[in-house]
Amino acid sequence: MSILDLVTEDCIKVPLESTRKNDLLHEMIDLLKEAGKISDPDAIYQVVRAREDQGSTGLGEGIAIPHAKTDAVTDITLAIGISPQGIDFESLDGEDAKVFFMILAPPDKSGLHIEALSEVARLTRSAAFMRTLIHSETPAEVVELFQE
Amino acid sequence: MAGPIQNILVYIDGSEESVTAAEYAVCLAKSTGAELSALYVVNTRALNDLVKSRIFIASEEQEYQEDLENDAQKYLDHVKELAHKKAQPIELYQKNGAIHSEIKHLVEDLDIDLLIIGELSKIQSRRDEFYNEVERAMRSVPCSVLIAKDEDLVWSHYESLA
């Protein structure tokens, strides 16, 4: 599986409007609802929030990867959000997060879920990629960056 | 004189393409008389990376490892059934680690002379070329590699086996 199979303009929001963690989770889940990727946003919020309660997925250096395994999706689903001003996501380094990858997967696709998470983790280790991503101004620019 | 194909390994990852590869492998083993083995790799390297990069917490690592091991059993059982339906003996292997290196090690350990894999996903970016684990295996194994394509045709060959 290529991460590009999951990156579509209708699941990318630049800039995000939220200024608080919970609002951001709702905003990204709503984005997936509007894109027709999910049908039960409340169920998604509950599992994503439950995972955050076990420990923030704000990894530091401006990156957060909220994720969950849930029956509320039938396939691997990815939303990308960028908040140029940053949001307090209770990240490990105490810094605001600016780039958010929300990854959801059904319970029977753990292998693909791990592949998707690994690829996102690998991408975020590239300082050049992240610098360009944070300065993207449209979903189309984000997709183009992933295609390089 | 024995033919060039005596010891086949098919790599299974749960994808439709890898199931097609398994069907092809059964057909080829039947027609050549080769021994057949199947491998599923639980990608614990990726799991460890997710823990190191703090994306996964410890409980997630354990939960996902169990999921992957259950998947491995499920898909290896499926391949065993595919082989047994055609009276083709098969050895099943489940390994934990990095996909490309586990494939290479088993090819060497079993003295495999043909590795069969499913159709590779389309390359969509330069990153795909660098990080496709099965492609890395294909390049690094010392034996010949066959990529099974055309799901319908392979299924039809498989179905027509006695």
Side-chain angles (χ1 to χ4, degrees):
Chain A
M1 184 202 67
S2 166
I3 196 78
L4 264 171
D5 294 332
L6 308 176
V7 178
T8 55
E9 285 188 33
D10 57 355
C11 294
I12 299 169
K13 191 159 186 184
V14 190
L16 289 162
E17 292 161 15
S18 306
T19 55
R20 294 188 308 174
K21 182 173 181 175
N22 276 346
D23 295 341
L24 172 129
L25 295 176
H26 281 297
E27 187 178 0
M28 293 193 71
I29 291 166
D30 288 345
L31 179 68
L32 290 172
K33 172 92 166 49
E34 284 161 22
K37 303 284 184 182
I38 59 167
S39 56
D40 189 348
D42 291 339
I44 304 278
Y45 177 77
Q46 294 304 325
V47 288
V48 172
R49 184 66 246 187
R51 169 61 185 83
E52 291 300 321
D53 289 343
Q54 292 179 65
S56 175
T57 58
L59 307 179
E61 299 184 15
I63 301 155
I65 309 181
H67 59 270
K69 184 165 66 170
T70 170
D71 282 323
V73 291
T74 54
D75 213 338
I76 309 288
T77 303
L78 169 69
I80 300 172
I82 298 171
S83 169
Q85 79 277 15
I87 295 171
D88 179 4
F89 209 75
E90 302 163 312
S91 297
L92 297 164
D93 61 1
E95 297 293 321
D96 286 351
K98 294 185 173 181
V99 179
F100 302 85
F101 298 91
M102 179 177 281
I103 304 181
L104 308 168
D108 64 344
K109 295 207 170 153
S110 291
L112 289 176
H113 195 182
I114 287 163
E115 262 187 58
L117 286 165
S118 297
E119 189 155 350
V120 168
R122 197 160 44 224
L123 286 169
T124 59
R125 284 198 284 268
S126 163
F129 179 88
M130 291 309 297
R131 208 166 32 241
T132 314
L133 184 58
I134 285 172
H135 290 105
S136 298
E137 292 181 348
T138 64
E141 279 183 28
V142 173
V143 172
E144 200 175 315
L145 179 62
F146 274 83
Q147 285 169 336
E148 284 177 5
Chain B
M1 182 180 154
I5 304 173
Q6 296 182 51
N7 213 351
I8 298 171
L9 175 68
V10 60
Y11 171 67
I12 307 298
D13 61 9
S15 64
E16 292 289 333
E17 291 81 5
S18 73
V19 173
T20 297
E23 291 159 3
Y24 195 98
V26 171
C27 294
L28 199 58
K30 285 289 280 185
S31 62
T32 60
E35 290 183 16
L36 178 59
S37 303
L39 168 67
Y40 187 106
V41 179
V42 173
N43 193 351
T44 50
R45 166 75 65 84
L47 271 177
N48 293 339
D49 285 349
L50 291 176
V51 173
K52 273 188 212 156
S53 53
R54 295 186 283 201
I55 294 171
F56 270 4
I57 51 180
S59 61
E60 281 180 304
E61 182 188 21
Q62 192 178 346
E63 182 185 341
Y64 277 76
Q65 176 143 357
E66 283 170 14
D67 285 349
L68 294 182
E69 283 172 358
N70 290 338
D71 281 350
Q73 197 55 56
K74 181 171 80 179
Y75 290 113
L76 285 172
D77 284 348
H78 180 63
V79 171
K80 183 178 175 184
E81 198 181 325
L82 282 173
H84 285 186
K85 271 185 186 167
K86 303 298 177 183
Q88 171 62 46
I90 187 166
E91 292 291 330
L92 305 175
Y93 295 88
Q94 182 195 316
K95 301 283 183 183
N96 291 358
I99 292 169
H100 72 275
S101 55
E102 292 304 324
I103 294 174
K104 182 170 182 279
H105 290 153
L106 195 63
V107 163
E108 290 168 348
D109 291 349
L110 298 180
D111 202 15
I112 294 295
D113 46 39
L114 182 68
L115 170 67
I116 300 182
I117 59 176
E119 187 166 2
L120 296 166
S121 55
K122 195 174 135 200
I123 296 290
Q124 299 184 66
S125 72
R126 279 175 293 167
R127 280 186 307 277
D128 288 351
E129 291 180 66
F130 297 140
Y131 295 118
N132 188 307
E133 287 270 337
V134 182
E135 190 166 333
R136 281 183 77 180
M138 183 179 80
R139 292 179 191 279
S140 62
V141 291
C143 66
S144 299
V145 180
L146 188 151
I147 301 177
K149 295 190 180 186
D150 197 335
E151 180 184 345
D152 292 340
L153 183 63
V154 172
W155 176 248
S156 138
H157 285 312
Y158 173 82
E159 278 291 86
S160 65
L161 282 179

